[in-house]
């Protein structure tokens, strides 16, 4: 029965499981016995959800796909269906498999503060070194990543970029711009591509001043994938991995009254979808990454070598300063709790 629940294509919904359980009479079990099993399974899945959101994370991963998905969920206290945002963080680990590191359910729409809390949670659970983060160009996200993961490369999703080009330029100009950019993004060299991209932006500056100014600000982030081995680049310039995962959740939402019944039910469904993927295609190492493993690991280690050494030096200095400060307070004849505090 537990395996059947894990493989539910339509998602997990307690009332539907209880209804199905009543059919167990034909197998010689009383409704009470089957209902008891359902309650045990439900509680076990809830525990797995709470264990998952608190689990310790690896210190190093190669890449993160981060994205947000808006949905509706019933508020248990108020009994109303409200808009929520589900933030997801999917990693490519250093054994070149995909895994869900975290998902976060927040009220309302996507916010910079939401991503700030999420990154701090990932760090507090052990994540420290990430070679690359792939995201859309949500306002404030670039600065948040730079603040909390200063050594990490940041690639903006090119699928979103193509959509923005179509929205902000005439049909004829958008077509020409995309054709030239397509040639740029498959360049052999990051430096040559960046120079060509800058020329492309300047060619359209006069007619699309504000849009081109925005593109100029993000020009490096649109081409970061070119810093990595050519065979793996196609895996590094879109958030398709995140969007495909969100489509699974959207399918479940649409087939379950159009909203998630509670945070726990949503959490259970996410854990079940993660199980399906990690026991399937996510659990298989990408052969292209594997073929370039030595180079990718060297890039990862070199990226953080100087940073880790500087951090160790700063921590050592802080420890020494605390020893000196403690001695000074001792000479003053007071402990920290004795110091006056302005109110």
């Amino acid at each position: 029965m537990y395996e059947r629940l894990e493989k539910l294509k339509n998602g997990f919904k307690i009332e539907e499981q209880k209804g199905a359980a009543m059919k167990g009479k034909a197998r010689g079990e009383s409704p009470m016995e089957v209902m008891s099993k359902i309650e045990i399974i439900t509680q076990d899945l809830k525990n797995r959800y709470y264990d998952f959101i608190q689990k310790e994370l690896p210190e190093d991963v190669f890449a993160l796909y981060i994205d947000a998905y808006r949905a509706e969920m019933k508020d248990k206290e108020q009994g109303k269906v409200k808009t929520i945002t589900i933030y997801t963080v999917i990693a490519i680990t250093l054994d070149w498999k995909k895994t869900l590191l975290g998902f976060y359910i927040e009220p309302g729409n996507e916010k910079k503060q939401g991503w700030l809390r999420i990154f701090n949670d990932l760090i507090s659970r052990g994540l420290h070194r990430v070679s690359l983060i792939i995201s859309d160009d949500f306002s404030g996200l670039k600065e948040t990543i730079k603040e909390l993961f200063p050594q990490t490369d940041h690639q903006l999703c090119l699928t979103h970029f193509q959509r923005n080009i179509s929205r902000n330029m005439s049909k004829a100009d958008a077509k020409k711009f995309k054709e030239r950019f397509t040639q740029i993004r498959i360049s052999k060299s990051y430096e040559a591509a960046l120079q060509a991209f800058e020329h492309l932006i300047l060619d359209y500056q006069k007619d699309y001043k504000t849009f081109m100014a925005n593109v100029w600000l993000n020009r490096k982030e649109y081409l970061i994938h070119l810093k990595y081995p050519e065979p793996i680049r196609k895996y590094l310039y879109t958030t398709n991995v995140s969007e495909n995962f969100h489509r699974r959740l959207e399918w479940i939402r649409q087939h379950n009254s159009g909203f998630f019944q509670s945070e726990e039910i949503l959490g259970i469904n996410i854990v079940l979808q993660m199980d399906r993927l990690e026991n399937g295609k996510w659990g298989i190492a990408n052969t292209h990454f594997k073929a370039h493993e030595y180079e990718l690991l060297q890039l990862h280690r070199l990226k953080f070598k100087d940073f880790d050494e500087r951090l160790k030096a700063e921590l050592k200095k802080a420890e020494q300063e605390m020893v000196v400060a403690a001695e000074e307070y001792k000479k003053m004849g007071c402990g920290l709790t004795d110091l006056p505090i302005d109110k």
Side-chain angles (χ1 to χ4, degrees), residues 195-256:
Q195 188 176 47
F197 192 26
E198 289 177 349
H199 282 291
L200 173 59
I201 296 167
L202 294 174
D203 284 346
Y204 287 89
Q205 178 192 16
K206 184 178 178 181
D207 294 329
Y208 305 98
K209 191 173 290 184
T210 302
F211 179 56
M212 288 304 147
N214 267 306
V215 176
W216 182 271
L217 286 174
N218 294 319
R219 65 194 187 282
K220 295 179 181 178
E221 285 74 22
Y222 285 123
L223 298 174
I224 285 294
H225 63 282
L226 294 174
K227 291 186 174 183
Y228 292 86
E230 188 173 356
I232 71 165
R233 290 174 184 173
K234 65 181 179 180
Y235 301 103
L236 305 179
Y237 57 64
T238 75
T239 55
N240 288 352
V241 171
S242 301
E243 292 186 9
N244 289 338
F245 186 75
H246 294 165
R247 284 191 197 101
R248 288 171 172 264
L249 300 182
E250 178 63 12
W251 197 93
I252 292 169
R253 182 190 70 79
Q254 290 179 355
H255 288 76
N256 285 275

Side-chain angles (χ1 to χ4, degrees), residues 134-150:
I134 304 106
S135 77
D136 61 19
D137 61 348
F138 181 75
S139 178
L141 189 52
K142 177 179 171 179
E143 293 74 23
T144 303
I145 290 171
K146 197 169 186 64
E147 179 183 345
L148 294 176
F149 294 98

Side-chain angles (χ1 to χ4, degrees), residues 280-309:
K281 58 185 179 181
W282 280 16
I284 302 169
N286 185 302
T287 54
H288 295 288
F289 285 87
K290 194 72 178 172
H292 293 271
E293 182 171 45
Y294 179 78
E295 183 180 357
L296 292 173
L297 290 176
Q298 285 294 97
L299 286 170
H300 183 80
R301 288 163 184 156
L302 288 172
K303 186 188 295 290
F304 296 101
K305 182 174 180 289
D306 292 340
F307 177 74
D308 287 347
E309 289 175 356

Side-chain angles (χ1 to χ4, degrees), residues 44-92:
D44 179 52
L45 289 170
K46 287 180 182 180
N47 291 340
R48 286 187 59 206
Y49 160 54
Y50 288 114
D51 288 344
F52 175 83
I53 62 177
Q54 300 176 69
K55 74 173 184 178
E56 188 174 339
L57 300 178
E59 290 187 2
D60 294 77
V61 299
F62 173 68
L64 297 179
Y65 299 95
I66 65 171
D67 202 6
Y69 153 67
R70 191 169 65 177
E72 287 74 40
M73 183 178 74
K74 190 171 185 179
D75 186 307
K76 289 178 73 173
E77 293 182 359
Q78 298 182 10
K80 295 179 180 179
V81 176
K82 295 185 176 181
T83 297
I84 59 166
T85 296
I86 305 167
Y87 300 79
T88 56
V89 180
I90 300 169
I92 297 177

